[in-house]
Amino acid sequence: MNYLTITGLRHLRMPMIGLGTWRAPPEEVQNSVLQALDIGYRHIDTAFNYNNEEAIGLAIEKWLEMGKGSREDLFITTKLPHIGNRSKDVEQFLKLSLNRLKLDYVDLYLIHMPFAFQMNESTMTPLQNPDGTFVLDLETDNVATWAAMEEQVRNGYVKAIGLSNFNAEQIANIYQHSTIKPSVLQVEMHAYCQQTQLIKDCRLMNISLTAYAPLGSPGAQMHFSKKYNYNLANYPDILGQPVVGRIAEKHRKTNGQILLRHLLQKDVSVIPKSTNSERLKENFNVLNFTLDDGDMEDLNNLDKGEDGRIFDFKFFAGVEKHPEYPFQNLLRKTEELA
Ligand SMILES: NC(=O)c1ccc[n+]([C@@H]2O[C@H](COP(=O)([O-])OP(=O)(O)OC[C@H]3O[C@@H](n4cnc5c(N)ncnc54)[C@H](OP(=O)(O)O)[C@@H]3O)[C@@H](O)[C@H]2O)c1
């Protein structure tokens, strides 16, 4: 297993390959986590919003009970949801996640998104207006939320804290106004959206990167359209990209393995999701070959920059009006084209 050393109150080792669990239903994910742990995964990525923390907690509990390893061998990440993104709610949501995961601490706690919605207190879901738009919390103060995140490190409930879906300016603001600096940034990253400048910016602040949707999140389009009635035009098939296929043939690897290896060779950790036992193995088996400079260059050339972004979060209807919506540049581009 390869690790990234992440900084925080103290140094920690984060396994470079983790198991993603978004859209992994509870009835499947418990078994998948156990299978993944048997394969050798030690890093599991979940979130309050994924509604599967309990099942993951049961799997971890079982694995520990079977004597297959100790808590210290694991690296568990979860996230503060968009409905709890305010300083007074951090402890409540973290404790809820810990309770569901049956853990005393998580290794990494991330602010899931820089924007926030008002919460329906009884269902713990975002409030929506009659027209379907989400009720924005316009008081969002990420520096204050961050201070509450730091408090949880001091309380011992988390080892490291970080950000997800923040843009460079938002990250720099937290960096400048914090005592415990962000350890990790988790953002969309794959061959079509390589985040080259953001990686450089983060490296200057000693922030490690985790790539979500490293395979291009096949299947997310169906989810967006079913759950939110939101269709992304020209949803990309990154796994089916011919250059990726050619490099896979050359190395006798699968297209998925090439996409993951490309990110790993840039010192980015990856969290591919799978609940399929063969693909779990395939995605973990990416440390026994190396892409050469030519392969890396060909894959780097697939980058479409902002045009390659899949997750613009506009399936949360009205989110782009939130003052902390991170992708204002996307909006400007749409306006220019209109
Ligand atoms: N911070 C955030 O806002 C955020 C947003 C999105 C995702 N994430 C995290 O990042 C993780 C990964 O992102 P993601 O789940 O969106 O996308 P992904 O990992 O790029 O793709 C997962 C999809 O690809 C399929 N798959 C897995 N391995 C494959 C392979 N080797 N070949 C072909 N298909 C394969 C999976 O289906 P099977 O299960 O059937 O294999 C699943 O449908 C998430 O699960 C979540 O933990 C975070």
Side-chain angles (χ1 to χ4, degrees), residues 9 13 21 34 50 91 104 111 119 141 160 182 224 228 240 251:
L9 201 53
R13 291 194 323 158
T21 65
L34 282 169
Y50 299 171
E91 184 162 340
D104 300 329
I111 303 183
M119 165 172 46
D141 178 349
F224 295 149
Y228 300 104
H251 290 275

Side-chain angles (χ1 to χ4, degrees), residues 19-24 28 44-47 50 79 110-113 163-165 186-190 210-220 235 239 254-257 260 270-280 282-283 311 313:
L19 175 67
T21 65
W22 177 54
R23 295 191 310 109
E28 284 177 32
I44 315 284
D45 181 80
T46 182
Y50 299 171
K79 312 184 190 92
L110 304 174
I111 303 183
H112 202 152
M113 294 147 199
L163 304 168
S164 183
N165 298 304
Q186 183 181 120
V187 283
E188 175 178 353
M189 203 188 297
H190 43 70
T210 296
Y212 78 64
L215 304 169
S217 202
Y235 196 88
L239 274 163
T254 67
N255 293 17
Q257 288 172 321
L260 297 175
V270 293
I271 46 171
K273 174 264 173 186
S274 187
T275 45
N276 169 286
S277 53
E278 286 313 306
R279 289 192 285 275
L280 280 172
E282 180 183 324
N283 295 342
F311 289 78
F313 294 99

Side-chain angles (χ1 to χ4, degrees), residues 24-32 52 55:
E27 62 280 10
E28 284 177 32
V29 80
Q30 187 178 339
N31 195 28
S32 304
N52 58 16

Side-chain angles (χ1 to χ4, degrees), residues 11 41 52 64 123 127 144 156 173 177 208 223 244 274 291 328:
H11 286 26
Y41 287 78
N52 58 16
L64 294 172
T123 55
L127 280 176
N173 189 37
H177 296 96
S208 300
H223 171 81
V244 178
S274 187
L291 298 171
Q328 294 298 340

Side-chain angles (χ1 to χ4, degrees), residues 4 14 25 30 32-33 49 60 62 79 94 106 127 151 160 166 177 179 216 223 249 255 279 297 301 305 308 314:
L4 284 179
M14 178 169 76
Q30 187 178 339
S32 304
V33 168
N49 275 356
I60 295 171
K62 198 163 172 189
K79 312 184 190 92
L94 175 57
V106 283
L127 280 176
E151 209 39 46
F166 279 53
H177 296 96
T179 309
H223 171 81
E249 242 171 67
N255 293 17
R279 289 192 285 275
E297 196 180 330
N301 286 340
K314 287 201 250 163

Side-chain angles (χ1 to χ4, degrees), residues 58-69:
L58 286 171
I60 295 171
E61 184 182 56
K62 198 163 172 189
W63 186 77
L64 294 172
E65 273 172 12
M66 287 189 292
K68 293 195 170 184

